[in-house]
Amino acid sequence: MPIRVSLVQLGKGAVGSALVDQVAARRAALRDRLGVDLVYAGIAGRKTATFSPSGLDLARWRVALGDGAGMDGRLLFKEAARALRGPSILVDATAEEDMTSLYCEAIEAGFHVVSCNKKPLSGPLRDYQQVKETCRRQRRFWLYEVTVGAGLPVIGTLRDLVDSGDRVEAIEGCFSGTLNFLCASLDRGDRFSETVARARDLGYTEPDPREDLSGTDVARKTLILAREAGHSIEPGEVEVSPFWRVDLAGEPAGFVTAAAAHDGEIAGRWREAEARGLRWRYVARVNGGCQAALREVPADGPFGRLVGPENIFTFRTARYDSHPLTVSGPGAGPAVTAAGVFADILRVGRAIGRTS
Amino acid sequence: MPIRVSLVQLGKGAVGSALVDQVAARRAALRDRLGVDLVYAGIAGRKTATFSPSGLDLARWRVALGDGAGMDGRLLFKEAARALRGPSILVDATAEEDMTSLYCEAIEAGFHVVSCNKKPLSGPLRDYQQVKETCRRQRRFWLYEVTVGAGLPVIGTLRDLVDSGDRVEAIEGCFSGTLNFLCASLDRGDRFSETVARARDLGYTEPDPREDLSGTDVARKTLILAREAGHSIEPGEVEVSPFWRVDLAGEPAGFVTAAAAHDGEIAGRWREAEARGLRWRYVARVNGGCQAALREVPADGPFGRLVGPENIFTFRTARYDSHPLTVSGPGAGPAVTAAGVFADILRVGRAIGRTS
């Protein structure tokens, strides 16, 4: 008999929706492969939620969600904590702030937590440590692979290095698919303003592209990796320089037009670098400290050769000293991100299915 | 209170020894981090073994092993299965054949199995399926990350892709650090025979380098990945061409001298490729079928740029379609291989520590 694992999901955006569909498609196969039955008990949007302790009908979850007006994620969780028995996972597919107390409450209630939300991981150190400590005490998983590199095996790889006693000397790479898409487009001579607009239209940027251009998103990822590598640091300690000095006032729609004012200067810097066999890449580093900035790199090196919305992560450690351990590939997009969240759910599922 | 997880290890070669030392160094930290206490209860060499249900003294395990003459791995396992209670892991750090029945017996007795031995994974399909099926029925882990790419996150990554419902179109790469070391040395103009001797002296090759040159080792890895990707194939179905036609008769020591007869021809082929902007790499592929052969690749492509004893693995899937998911780095050596086995032990340890 498969063991039932209940899923309660906050967030039904592009990633959240893709995840529900992916889990629904694999549920029957995983019952046999892993011996666990992944049952969606609840899904919440911003203002509506749907809940059924015996399992939602995933063929019509979007409709059911519309009927659940007036219930938000926190109410859904309270309901779930009261009604559910047995192994349960809280999936945070939102981008909300202030999740620490909800996470801790969930873990205290016996839930495992899987996050694609970077904010609970990249806020004050105290909040991060509180969730970690609650997990340790309650013997529950808190997994968040997709907060860095989407579906690429980055955090799990780092965790294995650290837990197995390797000494991480430096983590370096291009952690933003969005900014790498911009860099690679500019390499081909595309205009900055048009490239930003295209990246937004392709769904590569945040709704407001300035969040990407500010470097904030990369700074969050850098902080998450630094903490995973064992550094106790606060968000303010990441030295982040924006991709470009952009005017942060005004509406997102107006910004793309305003960006055209920078087109000439940016194109000039790109040409200068090219003439010296270099390319501009937005590079993040974790060594003693944490930095994220636009840097010139060799055009034929691993960072310079990166094209499109790709990410690269290199780990130099005591054991990987002469050549780094390197992971690269697309690091954004709903399908690969949802698959990464799914992989974290599978980690919990395998743990339950293989040790009972 | 940490949960005790007993380890029983077969094999005390370079990897096995490094693993014992790595686990010993991390034991105290992991008690706190994971809530599990990794206790070595037994270690076996070819003809000697040492066992203590309460835990070996790891400061003197090599000495104790000498005292345990007359007990081999199978006897050690029988003793362990009788004496141990609670979560236990059988670690196979040997390169022995015919482990299927021992694995199944261990799993039936409640053990998890962690293998760095490729043979139980790359023998007859029936044997492989029997271990898998026993694990499914008994709800136990069988993990073998290091059988492909040593400590690099290859099999875990593939498993997540498959379990999350991605469709694997092709896996391609250079799976042998040894053969890549040869290729990259030949790129620099080194002689074939001298390079083989150096690779052997550095511990990159099997004791008999012809095992590497025959392509057998890469064929095994290719088969393991193909099976992990869901293909039901037999060893004979891997189309493998040797790195070079080598005389398989005679003693290993004599072979290196005999190899000098090939130096000129090999150097010639390398020069021809270089003139066309190409390099020779030993490339393995899993798509419809499985192939492993020396191939010409672009010098400035991801395979051609690989230097030293590195591996590269590229995964093209329905979700990773425009750009592959890529993992690269050193794929051989006792320290990184032991760390990869350790990571599998950690996977079992976390599963036990986080779900009880």
Side-chain angles (χ1 to χ4, degrees):
Chain A
M1 270 291 288
I3 300 168
R4 178 186 150 136
V5 176
S6 304
L7 304 176
V8 176
Q9 180 175 312
L10 314 183
K12 58 161 188 63
V15 172
S17 298
L19 177 62
V20 176
D21 293 339
Q22 287 182 7
V23 173
R26 288 296 289 171
R27 183 179 167 192
L30 293 174
R31 265 189 225 127
D32 179 51
R33 276 176 84 87
L34 306 188
V36 296
D37 189 17
L38 299 175
V39 176
Y40 262 100
I43 302 171
R46 263 178 220 283
K47 289 171 185 165
T48 65
T50 178
F51 179 69
S52 164
S54 62
L56 301 173
D57 175 1
L58 293 185
R60 55 180 299 283
W61 69 271
R62 288 173 177 83
V63 178
L65 202 56
D67 300 340
M71 180 151 82
D72 70 357
R74 279 159 211 270
L75 278 176
L76 169 68
F77 165 71
K78 304 255 181 236
E79 182 105 8
R82 209 164 34 233
L84 295 176
R85 294 287 167 273
S88 304
I89 304 175
L90 179 69
V91 179
D92 178 8
T94 74
E96 284 182 35
E97 314 264 1
D98 301 323
M99 298 301 271
T100 304
S101 65
L102 182 64
Y103 280 17
C104 288
E105 204 179 322
I107 297 158
E108 297 280 1
F111 281 67
H112 302 277
V113 175
V114 169
S115 309
C116 46
N117 183 356
K118 290 179 203 60
K119 289 174 186 161
L121 285 139
S122 55
L125 184 62
R126 203 191 46 217
D127 289 358
Y128 171 85
Q129 286 173 334
Q130 192 188 340
V131 180
K132 284 275 175 184
E133 180 49 38
T134 309
C135 280
R136 217 175 348 244
R137 203 177 56 241
Q138 296 297 115
R139 296 187 170 278
R140 288 297 174 262
F141 281 103
W142 180 26
L143 299 173
Y144 36 82
E145 179 61 82
V146 298
T147 60
V148 180
L152 301 176
V154 176
I155 292 181
T157 299
L158 177 54
R159 186 177 295 140
D160 285 344
L161 293 174
V162 172
D163 279 347
S164 70
D166 207 347
R167 194 177 63 248
V168 178
E169 312 281 5
I171 307 168
E172 193 173 27
C174 301
F175 300 179
S176 167
T178 315
L179 296 184
N180 207 71
F181 176 83
L182 295 186
C183 289
S185 301
L186 292 162
D187 290 347
R188 289 194 306 270
D190 295 355
R191 279 176 204 279
F192 173 63
S193 55
E194 287 167 10
T195 301
V196 171
R198 194 163 72 250
R200 193 193 47 190
D201 295 347
L202 287 166
Y204 291 159
T205 71
E206 300 294 317
D208 184 344
R210 287 170 299 190
E211 283 195 34
D212 298 288
L213 294 171
S214 68
T216 309
D217 187 59
V218 174
R220 282 202 190 101
K221 293 173 185 170
T222 310
L223 178 65
I224 292 170
L225 291 184
R227 286 178 172 173
E228 201 68 32
H231 302 291
S232 295
I233 65 166
E234 295 287 355
E237 294 175 74
V238 181
E239 298 166 47
V240 53
S241 308
F243 180 86
W244 202 256
R245 314 168 303 278
V246 291
D247 182 4
L248 292 174
E251 286 300 304
F255 161 72
V256 172
T257 319
H262 301 284
D263 285 354
E265 192 185 350
I266 291 178
R269 293 193 74 177
W270 249 254
R271 276 192 306 270
E272 281 167 35
E274 194 189 359
R276 284 175 288 133
L278 302 173
R279 284 181 179 155
W280 289 100
R281 289 292 182 266
Y282 197 77
V283 176
R285 280 184 197 150
V286 177
N287 35 31
C290 280
Q291 302 102 35
L294 199 58
R295 293 183 193 277
E296 287 177 308
V297 300
D300 63 351
F303 299 176
R305 284 188 308 254
L306 219 59
V307 293
E310 281 190 288
N311 282 191
I312 188 166
F313 300 87
T314 65
F315 299 90
R316 284 194 182 271
T317 72
R319 293 179 195 140
Y320 291 98
D321 54 350
S322 61
H323 302 284
L325 189 169
T326 302
V327 175
S328 65
V336 296
T337 308
V341 185
F342 197 171
D344 274 347
I345 292 172
L346 288 165
R347 264 175 271 287
V348 180
R350 290 186 198 113
I352 292 163
R354 292 291 189 223
T355 63
S356 58
Chain B
M1 271 294 284
I3 300 168
R4 177 186 151 137
V5 176
S6 304
L7 304 176
V8 175
Q9 180 175 310
L10 313 184
K12 57 158 187 66
V15 172
S17 299
L19 177 62
V20 176
D21 293 338
Q22 288 181 7
V23 172
R26 288 295 289 169
R27 182 178 168 193
L30 293 173
R31 266 189 224 127
D32 178 52
R33 276 175 84 87
L34 306 188
V36 296
D37 189 16
L38 299 176
V39 176
Y40 262 99
I43 301 172
R46 263 178 221 280
K47 289 173 184 166
T48 65
T50 177
F51 179 68
S52 165
S54 61
L56 300 174
D57 176 1
L58 293 187
R60 54 179 301 282
W61 70 270
R62 287 174 178 85
V63 178
L65 201 56
D67 300 339
M71 180 152 79
D72 70 355
R74 280 161 209 267
L75 278 176
L76 170 67
F77 165 70
K78 304 256 181 235
E79 181 104 10
R82 211 168 27 236
L84 295 176
R85 295 287 167 272
S88 305
I89 304 175
L90 179 70
V91 178
D92 177 8
T94 74
E96 284 181 34
E97 313 264 0
D98 301 324
M99 298 300 272
T100 305
S101 66
L102 183 65
Y103 281 16
C104 289
E105 204 179 322
I107 297 157
E108 298 278 2
F111 281 67
H112 303 277
V113 176
V114 169
S115 309
C116 47
N117 182 354
K118 291 182 203 57
K119 289 173 186 160
L121 285 138
S122 54
L125 183 62
R126 204 192 45 217
D127 289 356
Y128 171 84
Q129 287 173 334
Q130 192 189 340
V131 181
K132 285 273 177 185
E133 180 49 37
T134 309
C135 280
R136 214 174 354 242
R137 203 177 56 240
Q138 296 297 113
R139 296 188 170 279
R140 288 297 175 261
F141 281 102
W142 180 26
L143 300 174
Y144 37 82
E145 179 60 82
V146 298
T147 58
V148 181
L152 300 175
V154 175
I155 291 181
T157 299
L158 176 55
R159 186 176 294 142
D160 284 345
L161 293 173
V162 171
D163 279 348
S164 70
D166 206 346
R167 195 177 61 247
V168 178
E169 311 282 6
I171 307 168
E172 194 173 26
C174 302
F175 300 178
S176 165
T178 314
L179 295 184
N180 208 71
F181 176 83
L182 294 186
C183 289
S185 302
L186 292 163
D187 289 347
R188 290 194 306 270
D190 296 354
R191 278 177 205 278
F192 173 63
S193 56
E194 288 168 10
T195 301
V196 171
R198 195 163 70 249
R200 193 194 45 190
D201 295 346
L202 285 166
Y204 291 159
T205 69
E206 300 294 316
D208 184 346
R210 287 170 297 191
E211 283 195 35
D212 298 287
L213 294 170
S214 68
T216 309
D217 187 60
V218 173
R220 283 203 189 100
K221 293 173 185 170
T222 310
L223 178 65
I224 293 170
L225 291 184
R227 286 178 174 174
E228 200 67 33
H231 302 291
S232 296
I233 65 167
E234 294 287 355
E237 294 176 75
V238 181
E239 298 165 46
V240 54
S241 307
F243 180 85
W244 202 256
R245 312 169 304 278
V246 290
D247 182 5
L248 292 174
E251 286 301 302
F255 161 70
V256 171
T257 319
H262 302 283
D263 285 353
E265 191 185 350
I266 292 179
R269 293 192 74 177
W270 249 253
R271 276 194 305 270
E272 282 168 33
E274 194 189 359
R276 286 174 286 132
L278 301 173
R279 285 181 179 155
W280 289 100
R281 288 291 180 268
Y282 197 77
V283 176
R285 281 184 196 151
V286 177
N287 35 34
C290 280
Q291 302 103 35
L294 198 58
R295 290 180 195 280
E296 286 178 309
V297 300
D300 64 350
F303 299 174
R305 284 188 306 255
L306 220 58
V307 293
E310 283 190 288
N311 282 191
I312 187 167
F313 300 88
T314 65
F315 299 91
R316 286 193 181 271
T317 72
R319 293 179 194 141
Y320 291 98
D321 55 351
S322 61
H323 303 284
L325 189 168
T326 302
V327 175
S328 65
V336 296
T337 307
V341 185
F342 198 172
D344 274 347
I345 293 172
L346 288 165
R347 262 175 272 287
V348 180
R350 289 186 199 113
I352 291 162
R354 292 294 190 222
T355 61
S356 58

